Amino acid sequence: MKVGIVGGGQLARMLVLAGYPLGLQFRVLDPAADACAGQVAELIHGGYHDETRLRQLAAWADVATFDFENAPAAAAAILSRQTAVYPPEEALAVAQDRLAEKTLFWELGIPVPTFSTVDSLAELHDAAQRVGLPAVLKTRRLGYDGKGQRVLRTAEELEPAWQALGAAPLILDGFVPFEREVSVLAVRGRSGETAFYPLVENQHRDGILRRSHAPFYAPKLEREGFDYARRLLERLNYVGLLAIEFFVKDGHLIVNEMAPRVHNSGHWTIEGAVTSQFENHLRAILGLPLGSTAAIGYSAMLNCLGELPEPAAVLAVPGAHYHAYGKAPRPGRKVGHLTLWADDPAVLQAGLKRLAALVDGGSPG
Ligand code: AMP
């Protein structure tokens, strides 16, 4: 079976690595000649608008998928003329626009923060009145890892924020004073079969994921999250892995956003679950039975931003695993991650202290 992936970053790379044991072949399309998935699969060098390259990928592949949600919806349309494409085009289109996404959540009865669209400075002032401050101003499109967003705390901050972001359509979110952030990783196969990974707790800094812990034991929240995920999977007739990020406030979930792809908060599943999110995404899009999503013991994942620690120091920690993405070091760039696995939470905490000291200047998650 041949799998084409639009996007050749670390997510594509880990999909490829998970697909080798299944006997799959891969080609990835990426505008960067040094895209890191190109080290483990054949790289088609081309832009996401490049119809010739997209057709070339579709003609070869039995199924096409994505490693990021901002591929133009037109790319999915071109691919689907020649091959099966999962997840569905609608899921990509919704996830690309924070307004469409929040509207869908709202329609499905999934609690969202108060929000308002903003297309002018006057509308920003109105929106700030309605939503209240503090609030988070975000670009509707192409925002990720905290890019294209600003927290507004006082009325004086509105105009500078408008100057910085106002060239594009915006959305103003009420600031959620959350107790913690969690994510749900859900997968649906071609036959409609679904499976859910245990709830994951996530810690962000400057809008970027730093650490995940799983399973995060909170049965009531988990039930709520699985219920919301199920509504989205069914409404979108989804196939593949879907990640949904939530805030936890007053013991309930408020949705932030979804990603129609494998997700950074699911990297722990490579060592920490019976079947990784990468293998299950592939099983889903190929119409194969899904694998168990059960966690094995306790896991933590630490992102390596900018540079990687020495492998020997990491691997000296019992239960630690090293994942380098083959990317050149650059400040703030996700260049790898570490997973720590233990069968006892106290052992996990002890190992985590040692690993945290090696990552990101040793600062807490
Ligand atoms: P996003 O790009 O929407 O995933 O936001 C990145 C991170 O910024 C989130 O994981 C939160 O930590 C924070 N954030 C985003 N929106 C809000 C909000 N409405 N209230 C509080 N924090 C937020």
Side-chain angles (χ1 to χ4, degrees):
M1 293 281 252
K2 296 170 182 156
V3 180
I5 307 178
V6 177
Q10 67 268 18
L11 300 178
R13 180 184 170 106
M14 288 185 269
L15 281 169
V16 171
L17 294 175
Y20 278 153
L22 294 170
L24 306 178
Q25 295 176 53
F26 292 89
R27 285 186 188 168
V28 301
L29 172 73
D30 199 285
D34 64 348
C36 71
Q39 296 165 14
V40 295
E42 195 176 320
L43 175 71
I44 300 178
H45 182 209
Y48 304 129
H49 290 280
D50 186 334
E51 192 160 341
T52 311
R53 294 282 181 250
L54 288 163
R55 280 173 189 275
Q56 192 184 327
L57 184 68
W60 174 84
D62 296 307
V63 61
T65 191
F66 301 86
D67 99 328
F68 85 136
E69 64 272 34
N70 288 321
I78 294 167
L79 293 167
S80 61
R81 278 187 230 133
Q82 282 171 280
T83 192
V85 181
Y86 301 111
E89 210 178 311
E90 187 189 359
L92 287 180
V94 165
Q96 283 173 7
D97 180 355
R98 291 188 191 273
L99 175 63
E101 191 177 64
K102 283 180 159 52
T103 306
L104 178 66
F105 294 145
W106 184 83
E107 280 169 12
L108 292 174
I110 305 172
V112 288
T114 322
F115 68 93
S116 186
T117 54
V118 171
D119 290 315
S120 67
L121 181 57
E123 278 183 22
L124 178 56
H125 281 281
D126 285 353
Q129 285 285 327
R130 259 200 313 280
V131 168
L133 294 180
V136 189
L137 187 64
K138 302 179 177 184
T139 54
R140 271 174 57 181
R141 292 180 169 274
L142 299 175
Y144 66 98
D145 283 349
K147 293 191 175 82
Q149 62 174 269
R150 289 252 185 136
V151 178
L152 307 179
R153 297 187 186 279
T154 64
E156 289 68 49
E157 288 172 3
L158 300 190
E159 190 162 351
W162 169 256
Q163 297 304 340
L165 300 177
L170 303 174
I171 197 160
L172 189 71
D173 260 11
F175 185 88
V176 180
F178 55 80
E179 288 131 33
R180 58 179 85 244
E181 294 185 85
V182 297
S183 56
V184 170
L185 307 164
V187 60
R188 185 168 180 273
R190 277 159 84 155
S191 65
E193 178 192 5
T194 55
F196 304 86
Y197 285 92
L199 201 61
V200 188
E201 192 215 349
N202 301 312
Q203 296 170 10
H204 294 81
R205 202 164 64 239
D206 303 328
I208 303 177
L209 182 67
R210 304 298 166 121
R211 268 194 206 186
S212 295
H213 290 257
F216 174 63
Y217 186 73
K220 200 174 81 47
L221 287 179
E222 192 172 78
R223 270 197 303 279
E224 220 172 276
F226 289 1
D227 172 33
Y228 296 152
R230 198 173 280 112
R231 293 182 204 182
L232 283 162
L233 292 175
E234 281 166 18
R235 162 64 183 75
L236 292 166
N237 198 17
Y238 197 86
V239 174
L241 193 116
L242 176 72
I244 313 159
E245 295 184 80
F246 295 97
F247 304 117
V248 180
K249 186 163 176 290
D250 303 327
H252 288 283
L253 298 180
I254 298 173
V255 70
N256 179 28
E257 61 179 1
M258 68 176 198
R261 54 169 167 78
V262 287
H263 193 255
N264 198 168
S265 69
H267 290 358
W268 64 273
T269 61
I270 297 176
E271 290 91 7
V274 176
T275 315
S276 78
Q277 63 163 346
F278 302 99
E279 181 173 337
N280 256 338
H281 180 73
L282 293 169
R283 289 188 187 209
I285 66 172
L286 289 162
L288 296 169
L290 301 180
S292 164
T293 48
I296 313 165
Y298 302 88
S299 299
M301 187 281 315
L302 278 76
N303 265 342
C304 302
L305 300 181
E307 57 182 6
L308 283 159
E310 283 301 316
V314 170
L315 299 176
V317 178
H321 295 269
Y322 193 85
H323 294 263
Y325 300 154
K327 289 160 81 171
R330 195 192 297 153
R333 191 178 201 199
K334 287 179 181 170
V335 288
H337 75 265
L338 313 178
T339 314
L340 186 66
W341 179 89
D343 56 9
D344 179 297
V347 175
L348 189 85
Q349 285 311 320
L352 203 49
K353 266 200 191 133
R354 290 176 63 187
L355 279 190
L358 301 171
V359 173
D360 210 7
S363 53

